[in-house]
Amino acid sequence: MLGQMMHRDLSIIEILKFAAENHSVSEVVSLRTEGDVHRYTYSDCLVRVSKLANAILNLGVKKGDRVATLAWNGYRHLELYYAISGVGAVCHTINPRLSAEQMLYILEHAGDSILFVDTTFVPIIEKLASKLPKNLVIIVMASSESMSNFSDEYLSYETLITESSQKIIWPELPENTAAGLCYTSGTTGNPKGALYSHRSTVLHALTISLNMGLFLGNGMKVLPVVPLFHVNAWGLPYAAPLTGTSLIFPGPNLDGASLFNLMDHENVNSAWGVPTVWLGLLEEIRNQGKAPSQFQNVVIGGSAAPKSMIEEFEGLGITVCHAWGMTEMSPVGTQGFLPQPMTKLLSSDEQILKKCNQGRRVFGVDLKIVDEKGSSLPHDGEASGELYVRGNAIISGYYKNEQSTEESFDKEGWFGTGDIASITSDGFLNIQDRAKDLIKSGGEWISSIDIENVVMGHPKVANCAVIAVSHPKWEERPLLVVVSNGNIRVTKQEIDDLLLGHIAKWQLPDAIEFLDALPLTATGKVSKLTLREMFANYKLT
Ligand code: ADP
């Protein structure tokens, strides 16, 4: 028997309409590429989004068309998220840190008809001009006055908005209509597209608001350092308006001092981003001898949060939520807020150890780990295997990519993450490594994350990464790459002494190399692929 309830299609624009009505004074504050601070409310945002939607329709955009963005975190980018999906088109966010080759590949593959670009990224586009798809309309996200700096062929974003009507009847769209497109950063092979729908996006926003909503809500202020140009800034452009949280956008300035000043000035409560960003912020906190005034919570994800980082934040009274996810999962899969009984029963050291895990699944995500034959392994905290996921906000295939789709799902339709993990009986996920980053030594595996986690705690280490280098007898052995904190280099003996309390002797890195900085991926994570290339011919002595 079927239930007897109305069916209303889930729709992204409804989030902003709701926020404009119910959270009309919550703000969107943006450090602009113009250099100043822009602020307005969600009600103001909806007015401009309606005008922008009309402008996009006037440019001839039809349902299903892909419209690309190349922009920082700011109010104009937020407007594009809502206006493009609102008219039934697909908002394709492009990561400006991709190589020129990858950018051209995805523009072509997505079949974008329009590209909205922040002024700072116009030089990227100019360099690619001769190779860009023909008929691609380029719109610079700037006022008409600043257009004199750019080619006559480009249109002005602000002119389009000024000249458009605010009156719009938003189309009723089936909830499975595509709304957003994001390509993985393609650490191996070409980037692959995740095509989000209205339904998956709204459900993901609801999930984030509930499961990660401790610091979201009316009167709260959240700073997404995680970019709008990749993985939907972890769902914040939707969860923030839904909950009435003000969004504080950092624009292009992501160094520790700039983030500190913005957070302090705007009374930010919660900030979300990858570990590399927090290294900079923590350094600034140390320099100033204090944390930004209202800073209460940091969400760390994208790669493993080192124990020393969790300890330092918690020591400052800033709650750490260690989260895990993927582009293919919209992206949040697990989150690490500890519930009440745990915060009461566990000592602070035990809580830190819990937080080194990647947290527990959010509602709507199922997790399983499997052995090499694909058989499910127990969730006992011991067994480890490849992590598979399923859920309402997880891709069912890659956009126009049958081969990758075929390779990525098991017979029951679960998506293979490529991560190796264990899961405790009470649901805590522990990511041991990406399968391709594990070090295979004499038939045994060594987790690069485990070693990095400990080494990051050494006072002479500012940053580090562990990669596999080939070995004549053991096949692969771990090489530790260190960025020093200060002038005195850590010694192998010091590292071994520190590590031996945590890992077995045979797992110790064979050697240490020093770099001034670690190479980063397009998403700001340490690029192990580049490191492996740099040390491809490394001879262990
Ligand atoms: P890409 O970097 O290729 O764009 P994603 O941003 O989707 O891909 O990254 C997803 C991957 O990042 C996961 O499969 C996992 O390996 C890694 N990852 C994400 N969060 C964490 C975390 N908290 N701890 C360890 N690894 C993580």
Side-chain angles (χ1 to χ4, degrees), residues 184-185 230 302-304 322-327 358 419 431 434 523 525:
T184 64
S185 49
H230 192 64
S303 49
H322 187 184
W324 166 88
M326 299 182 79
T327 307
Q358 278 74 5
D419 286 342
I431 300 282
R434 282 190 160 185
T523 45
K525 308 181 200 180

Side-chain angles (χ1 to χ4, degrees), residues 184 192 194 196 231 325-331 393-395 398 415:
T184 64
K192 295 175 280 188
Y196 313 111
V231 293
M326 299 182 79
T327 307
E328 291 88 337
M329 300 176 73
S330 292
I394 296 171
I395 59 162
Y398 285 105
F415 172 73

Side-chain angles (χ1 to χ4, degrees), residues 41-74:
T41 63
Y42 284 125
S43 306
D44 302 328
C45 179
L46 181 61
V47 172
R48 279 175 52 98
V49 164
S50 306
K51 288 169 155 243
L52 179 61
N54 275 322
I56 290 170
L57 290 172
N58 291 338
L59 285 165
V61 169
K62 303 263 174 314
K63 289 192 181 123
D65 284 356
R66 274 78 61 212
V67 177
T69 65
L70 192 59
W72 295 110
N73 284 6

Side-chain angles (χ1 to χ4, degrees), residues 176-190:
N176 282 328
T177 304
L181 178 61
C182 176
Y183 284 77
T184 64
S185 49
T187 38
T188 50
N190 276 328

Side-chain angles (χ1 to χ4, degrees), residues 467-470 479 481 513-515 530-539:
I467 53 162
V469 287
S470 58
L479 171 71
V481 186
E513 285 296 320
F514 291 87
L515 291 179
T530 314
L531 281 175
R532 280 196 290 267
E533 281 165 8
M534 287 169 74
F535 293 100
N537 300 316
Y538 194 79
K539 290 267 170 304

Side-chain angles (χ1 to χ4, degrees), residues 9-67:
D9 289 305
L10 298 173
S11 153
I12 291 174
I13 194 66
E14 289 304 324
I15 294 179
L16 191 60
K17 281 160 72 178
F18 177 81
E21 238 173 77
N22 289 267
H23 305 298
S24 57
V25 294
S26 297
E27 283 187 314
V28 180
V29 179
S30 315
L31 256 185
R32 299 203 290 182
T33 47
E34 283 93 330
D36 57 353
V37 174
H38 174 276
R39 52 197 328 133
Y40 68 4
T41 63
Y42 284 125
S43 306
D44 302 328
C45 179
L46 181 61
V47 172
R48 279 175 52 98
V49 164
S50 306
K51 288 169 155 243
L52 179 61
N54 275 322
I56 290 170
L57 290 172
N58 291 338
L59 285 165
V61 169
K62 303 263 174 314
K63 289 192 181 123
D65 284 356
R66 274 78 61 212
V67 177

